[in-house]
Amino acid sequence: MNDRLRAVATSVATVALFALTTAILPSATASAQSSMTGSAAEPEQGQLAGANDWECEPSPQHPRPVVLVHGTGRSMQESWGNTENPNDQGPLIKPLKDDGYCVFALNYGFAPSLFLGPTPIPAGRDWWGHAAIEDAAAELAEFIDKVRTETGSAQVDVVGHSQGGTVTRQYLRFAGGADQQNPANSKVHTLVMLAPSTHGTSYRDQYPTVEAARAAGASKSSQQQIIGSEFLATLNAGQETFPGIDYTVIASKTDRTITPYTGSFLDAAPGPSLRNVYVQDECQDQDLFIGHSRKSFDTGPNPQVGLLEHSAPIFLVRKALDPNLQGTIPCS
């Protein structure tokens, strides 16, 4: 293969990584522009309608603030915002606010220098969620401490999408989020995860190893989420859940980013509360197609609405946060 063909082949592999990792390697919004490398400083965060009201006082019905943690390569605005009108609340934030929650969100893991591919990052593009997950967990720890201080709440609830669930688990286990000696002192009460990368992904068998992902140009956090990565082995070693925290995993059998889709579920340790659910099972409709994140992010054939916007997983998130929530899951 001559040098020109080799360059073309390398570029094609990189483009394939972009297409397959719907929530792994896309661009972030201009509203989150920053030149920082992992800071959660508020001036660099941008605005998100319905979130980060630091004057919000938790209600007696919902005394714990809810922290939203986005996935790889998507900002909080893209993940949780209103795609048609940024001034309106997004599909999860609006019902949470209507339910009476104080809602907070952050952008984390800005790391353009960690993109290892042969294709340089275009000028003006930001990359949220690409730093090492250990660093992202430290950012989340700082943000949650701020939320707890400003709201006066001892604990928060967390909703994490894709890598956001994995970042939160790293925070719980290794960055001070969970008190394993005295669970009542843990900083998180409920963790709800939408399609987390718990046991890794192969991106539809295109990247079966960390080495393959690295060669294709995946960022550090993307490599860490490959099946068999050293990072996941360490995070999952011994036990995956901890006492004092209520865990819910909500996954879709038609997820085209976390493959196999069975890799999202947690293995329960004795004691902790854990519920693993597929949206299709909850809706009793195995033909229900729900993508990994949002329809606008879906680069596959026949894009469909995703876990971040479909009414069924939105209801399941609300039910996980409040087991007393009334109503029937809206599956249509």
Side-chain angles (χ1 to χ4, degrees):
M1 182 183 294
N2 60 37
D3 292 341
R4 180 176 177 79
L5 288 176
R6 183 177 294 108
V8 170
T10 301
S11 296
V12 168
T14 303
V15 171
L17 181 68
F18 290 167
L20 286 167
T21 56
T22 308
I24 302 296
L25 293 178
S27 64
T29 60
S31 62
Q33 288 183 352
S34 169
S35 60
M36 307 176 72
T37 56
S39 173
E42 276 189 69
E44 305 295 338
Q45 293 288 297
Q47 302 298 313
L48 177 61
N52 297 337
D53 175 6
W54 298 101
E55 302 299 321
C56 185
E57 296 183 4
S59 66
Q61 294 78 18
H62 300 298
R64 296 183 300 275
V66 176
V67 176
L68 307 179
V69 188
H70 65 75
T72 314
R74 294 291 182 188
S75 66
M76 64 178 179
Q77 290 86 357
E78 289 175 301
S79 295
W80 313 111
N82 188 306
T83 57
E84 295 182 357
N85 185 354
N87 293 320
D88 291 340
Q89 296 173 8
L92 176 60
I93 291 178
K94 187 178 188 311
L96 289 180
K97 295 294 290 183
D98 290 346
D99 288 341
Y101 290 98
C102 293
V103 179
F104 297 87
L106 78 162
N107 286 319
Y108 68 85
F110 181 77
S113 62
L114 296 184
F115 184 71
L116 305 178
T119 303
I121 295 175
R125 296 249 321 246
D126 290 336
W127 295 97
W128 293 108
H130 286 296
I133 294 176
E134 297 91 339
D135 295 337
E139 293 183 60
L140 179 61
E142 181 178 353
F143 186 79
I144 287 178
D145 280 348
K146 179 178 181 179
V147 171
R148 293 170 59 241
T149 297
E150 295 294 327
T151 62
S153 302
Q155 293 182 307
V156 302
D157 294 337
V158 176
V159 179
H161 172 243
S162 197
Q163 185 200 152
T166 303
V167 167
T168 307
R169 290 183 56 231
Q170 174 73 19
Y171 159 67
L172 291 174
R173 184 162 193 173
F174 297 115
D179 189 328
Q180 298 179 35
Q181 300 302 317
N182 187 353
N185 291 333
S186 293
K187 298 177 182 180
V188 173
H189 180 278
T190 300
L191 172 56
V192 185
M193 294 178 284
L194 292 155
S197 51
T198 304
H199 297 117
T201 178
S202 68
Y203 305 128
R204 284 180 272 173
D205 298 325
Q206 295 297 310
Y207 303 100
T209 65
V210 174
E211 290 72 22
R214 183 181 299 118
S219 65
K220 179 63 175 179
S221 66
S222 298
Q223 294 175 39
Q224 290 179 307
Q225 295 173 85
I226 295 292
I227 294 170
S229 73
E230 182 178 349
F231 169 82
L232 289 177
T234 299
L235 178 60
N236 294 329
Q239 65 185 88
E240 299 178 8
T241 59
F242 293 93
I245 300 169
D246 292 336
Y247 296 84
T248 298
V249 178
I250 302 167
S252 171
K253 295 181 180 180
T254 53
D255 193 323
R256 296 192 286 208
T257 297
I258 301 299
T259 55
Y261 63 82
T262 54
S264 282
F265 281 1
L266 286 165
D267 294 332
S273 169
L274 169 62
R275 187 165 183 251
N276 291 312
V277 300
Y278 291 119
V279 180
Q280 287 81 0
D281 292 345
E282 295 300 301
C283 286
Q284 300 181 22
D285 182 359
Q286 299 306 309
D287 295 326
L288 181 62
F289 192 105
I290 297 179
H292 181 70
S293 52
R294 304 189 78 160
K295 184 175 183 179
S296 59
F297 303 164
D298 191 342
T299 59
N302 189 27
Q304 300 289 330
V305 296
L307 288 163
L308 298 182
E309 58 196 352
H310 192 284
S311 56
I314 296 296
F315 178 85
L316 292 173
V317 169
R318 295 169 60 213
K319 187 73 171 177
L321 294 172
D322 179 8
N324 295 318
L325 181 70
Q326 299 300 305
T328 304
I329 182 170
C331 295
S332 59

